[in-house]
Amino acid sequence: LLGPPPDCLAPAHTGRLRVTGSTFVGVGTGVDPSNLVDSTVSVVRNDFVNVDLSVFGEDDYGSRIVIKGNDIDAPTRPVPFTPTGILILNGCSGPNPRQALSRLTIQNNDILMTEDMTGLVAADCAHGDGADPTLNVRVLGNHFESNNGFAGVDIPFGEDGRVAGNRFSGTAFGGIGLVVNNSGFDIVNNDFTDFETDGPDILLGPETTRNRVVINEGDVVDDQGTDNIIIVR
């Protein structure tokens, strides 16, 4: 049950939200757990068919969010924005007095991407603007299948996350992007064997630092940052 937090400083809610075993067809947004404080969110084993944005969360602080075991198909109709399977944003609309660390786990999902689509975008804009981290991201064991999509995983801003054990297949511009101001990430054991890209498999953008990347021989990393560690197995 979701209800207002005690201080009521802004439109926000606290509590537990679980969405499981559901099918979403032809809607704009499937699940929208936004403006939560000290909450637990589980989006587990759902099907998203022709949905513009399957899961969207914004300004969720001090919460635990698990998105696991879902089938996400790309929308087949035009959408009024850059299509994204899962979009999680903290602080991108401005500062929030409740800023606190949330833990986001994206695990064992099958995400199908078509032209220009990104499978997952998770952005800790609050941290990018100088605040303490508000979003710890773990992307584990997902399959990103692309038909001329943009990228599988795009994480602008963030600290001490993990992107591991994911499989990428099909064609896209890139696979994993730590775009700017990312540090302390582990990117390991990802499979690009059946993946063809116009850009790199993994991009470490400007201002990235202290990230550790373990790749197989033949994987392509574009390291534009400083003090990142690249290990070829």
Side-chain angles (χ1 to χ4, degrees), residues 103-215:
R103 301 189 182 279
L104 171 66
T105 300
I106 311 291
Q107 186 172 12
N108 295 345
N109 301 283
D110 287 315
I111 301 177
L112 174 63
M113 304 172 292
T114 53
E115 188 170 358
D116 296 329
M117 180 176 172
T118 300
L120 164 68
V121 176
D124 188 355
C125 298
H127 182 47
D129 288 337
D132 290 338
T134 70
L135 193 62
N136 177 263
V137 181
R138 297 167 61 84
V139 185
L140 309 172
N142 303 280
H143 178 206
F144 296 93
E145 181 181 357
S146 178
N147 181 11
N148 295 323
F150 181 72
V153 177
D154 186 2
I155 305 177
F157 315 111
E159 186 172 314
D160 297 335
R162 184 172 177 84
V163 183
N166 302 284
R167 182 164 67 94
F168 298 80
S169 62
T171 57
F173 176 78
I176 299 169
L178 302 187
V179 182
V180 62
N181 200 17
N182 301 85
S183 63
F185 272 74
D186 256 345
I187 303 178
V188 299
N189 298 329
N190 297 287
D191 184 359
F192 301 99
T193 304
D194 299 318
F195 197 49
E196 296 182 9
T197 64
D198 295 327
D201 295 317
I202 300 172
L203 169 65
L204 304 177
E207 301 180 34
T208 61
T209 185
R210 297 187 298 103
N211 300 288
R212 175 177 172 266
V213 179
V214 180
I215 60 173

Side-chain angles (χ1 to χ4, degrees), residues 22-133:
S22 300
T23 300
F24 300 84
V25 181
V27 296
T29 301
V31 180
D32 183 356
S34 291
N35 298 310
L36 302 180
V37 178
D38 298 331
S39 297
T40 300
V41 176
S42 299
V43 182
V44 180
R45 295 191 303 276
N46 302 284
D47 292 326
F48 298 89
V49 182
N50 197 22
V51 175
D52 296 349
L53 179 55
S54 294
V55 183
F56 173 64
E58 184 175 24
D59 290 343
D60 297 321
Y61 295 112
S63 299
R64 183 172 184 266
I65 304 169
V66 176
I67 303 172
K68 182 176 181 180
N70 301 283
D71 286 327
I72 297 175
D73 289 341
T76 57
R77 59 187 180 185
V79 298
F81 46 79
T82 302
T84 305
I86 300 170
L87 178 61
I88 306 294
L89 309 172
N90 265 10
C92 297
S93 299
N96 186 304
R98 296 193 180 89
Q99 287 179 356
L101 183 67
S102 285
R103 301 189 182 279
L104 171 66
T105 300
I106 311 291
Q107 186 172 12
N108 295 345
N109 301 283
D110 287 315
I111 301 177
L112 174 63
M113 304 172 292
T114 53
E115 188 170 358
D116 296 329
M117 180 176 172
T118 300
L120 164 68
V121 176
D124 188 355
C125 298
H127 182 47
D129 288 337
D132 290 338

